[in-house]
Amino acid sequence: MTGSAAALGKDLIGLEPLSPDQIRVILDTAEPFKEITERRIKKLPVLRGKTIVNLFFEPSTRTRISFEFAEKRLSADTVNIGAAGSSVSKGETLVDTARNLEAMSIDMVVIRHWSAGAASFLAARIPSNVINAGDGAHEHPTQGLLDILTLRDHFGSLEGLRVCIVGDVLHSRVARSNIYGLVKLGARVGVCGPRTLLPARIEQLGVRVFARVDDAIRWADALNVLRLQLERMQDGFVPSLREYNRVFGITRPRLERAPKELLIMHPGPMNRGVEIDSDVADGPHSVILQQVTNGVAVRMAVLYLLAGGAPHLAEAARDWTGA
Ligand code: CP
């Protein structure tokens, strides 16, 4: 395999440092991998012999499992490590943990960490490829990529598409990765939520701010609804969950008043009845589970490209067997 490691760099830390072309390469490379995830035998030999460590210091369902599926479908050897079961719980530093793993000859690290900057800190200190699976409130690049792929699947083009991110933008790494990626690809991005849950000067990222969710719904083609981070509610960001649902919740009556049907997205995990009602989350315009499906293909593409795979070979992978 040759080619695009240099095009993508050694690591994937965020979408902010990527060019529009680099983002497009990842999305295009995910396309053939989508088809492979639908086969009876979902296995390709492209990462055979590579060892990947999934280092998850925060809880995760979707990201951790879909990285593991992606790695196994590309025939890599994988090891999963969580904070509770590792020597981090005894006070070992992140770098010492990673250096000990490197001493066992690993090739890639996928890291989720509570601290913004943890992935780039690690990437600067170890020669293995590092993939950020979410660092504090900084970025969650593969979630941003899978959201953008889902939008592209549905609308064909992202140019001029109006996407509004609704909810707790302040604490959201998903929001940041979506904003960076979508703006680079020519989409128009809005954010909507209580002022207490929008970062100061968010407009400087090139987004439009909506104070009222009904205005955002009238403007948008798609809504990406964010989880209200309940663990932070003791800080008084919103008066109550009931009040939040009444003022900012994505409900069916609210969507029925919109001039057109909107695509409904949510990165998960959802708080049903808080930021989104069940009849919207499970309704005909929801692509929430499609996002999860696309997550595996996007993560296969990222792993493949960082390992030095060339996009045109991923296309040829349609004909490969799992041998
Ligand atoms: N979207 C997302 O990151 O979900 P998990 O926390 O379950 O990985």
Side-chain angles (χ1 to χ4, degrees):
M1 291 186 286
T2 57
S4 25
L8 211 54
K10 177 174 94 62
D11 312 296
L12 179 67
I13 304 303
L15 299 192
E16 185 181 17
L18 297 190
S19 69
D21 278 345
Q22 287 174 311
I23 295 174
R24 281 188 208 102
V25 164
I26 300 172
L27 299 179
D28 292 346
T29 304
E31 291 296 341
F33 289 132
K34 270 192 214 167
E35 195 185 305
I36 284 149
T37 65
E38 288 161 13
R39 289 183 185 174
R40 194 172 60 83
I41 298 174
K42 304 172 177 56
K43 203 119 175 139
L44 291 175
V46 298
L47 294 186
R48 194 152 57 190
K50 300 271 185 200
T51 303
I52 304 177
V53 175
N54 300 312
L55 206 50
F56 276 67
F57 294 115
E58 270 192 338
S60 168
T61 299
R62 281 146 290 268
T63 311
R64 186 177 56 78
I65 292 172
S66 83
F67 262 113
E68 202 175 336
F69 275 139
E71 291 154 5
K72 287 187 157 65
R73 285 174 190 179
L74 296 178
S75 307
D77 296 317
T78 66
V79 178
N80 296 316
I81 302 174
S86 74
S87 290
V88 170
S89 62
K90 300 180 205 162
E92 186 169 68
T93 66
L94 174 60
V95 168
D96 279 339
T97 300
R99 284 192 180 139
N100 277 276
L101 296 171
E102 292 244 301
M104 295 181 246
S105 299
I106 60 166
D107 299 289
M108 293 189 185
V109 177
V110 177
I111 178 168
R112 169 167 290 193
H113 201 279
W114 58 80
S115 192
S120 60
F121 179 83
L122 193 61
R125 285 162 180 80
I126 62 171
S128 302
N129 307 103
V130 174
I131 302 173
N132 182 8
D135 61 329
H138 172 228
E139 280 221 45
H140 189 350
T142 55
Q143 180 70 45
L145 288 163
L146 73 89
D147 290 346
I148 294 169
L149 183 64
T150 307
L151 286 163
R152 196 177 77 164
D153 285 350
H154 191 83
F155 292 101
S157 168
L158 297 161
E159 192 66 45
L161 187 71
R162 297 175 181 205
V163 183
C164 193
I165 301 168
V166 183
D168 183 357
V169 179
L170 181 69
H171 301 113
S172 177
R173 50 199 177 208
V174 174
R176 276 167 195 72
S177 290
N178 266 270
I179 292 168
Y180 292 130
L182 285 167
V183 168
K184 282 174 200 279
L185 297 184
R188 298 169 69 186
V189 182
V191 293
C192 177
R195 253 298 169 190
T196 49
L197 292 178
L198 297 180
R201 297 179 293 283
I202 182 85
E203 298 86 346
Q204 290 176 3
L205 297 183
V207 303
R208 179 169 170 175
V209 176
F210 292 92
R212 286 167 38 88
V213 77
D214 294 309
D215 294 341
I217 286 172
R218 258 194 300 278
W219 174 83
D221 301 305
L223 299 181
N224 200 347
V225 187
L226 298 179
R227 179 172 84 90
L228 200 61
Q229 301 203 9
L230 294 175
E231 64 273 26
R232 300 179 203 277
M233 287 307 106
Q234 67 272 24
D235 294 339
F237 287 100
V238 295
S240 73
L241 300 184
R242 183 197 289 252
E243 178 78 356
Y244 181 86
N245 180 259
R246 193 180 65 73
V247 180
F248 287 100
I250 304 303
T251 63
R252 196 159 69 178
R254 207 159 237 154
L255 292 175
E256 280 170 355
R257 290 197 295 273
K260 59 179 181 300
E261 283 159 353
L262 273 70
L263 194 75
I264 302 297
M265 304 170 72
H266 193 305
M270 284 186 278
N271 298 307
R272 290 172 181 264
V274 181
E275 71 267 4
I276 190 166
D277 281 0
S278 278
D279 51 3
V280 175
D282 304 328
H285 306 298
S286 166
V287 288
I288 292 170
L289 293 178
Q290 188 58 46
Q291 289 171 261
V292 177
T293 303
N294 278 345
V296 179
V298 157
R299 289 169 179 129
M300 288 169 85
V302 167
L303 293 163
Y304 170 81
L305 291 168
L306 288 179
H312 67 278
L313 287 181
E315 188 62 32
R318 288 183 204 275
D319 304 324
W320 293 349
T321 68

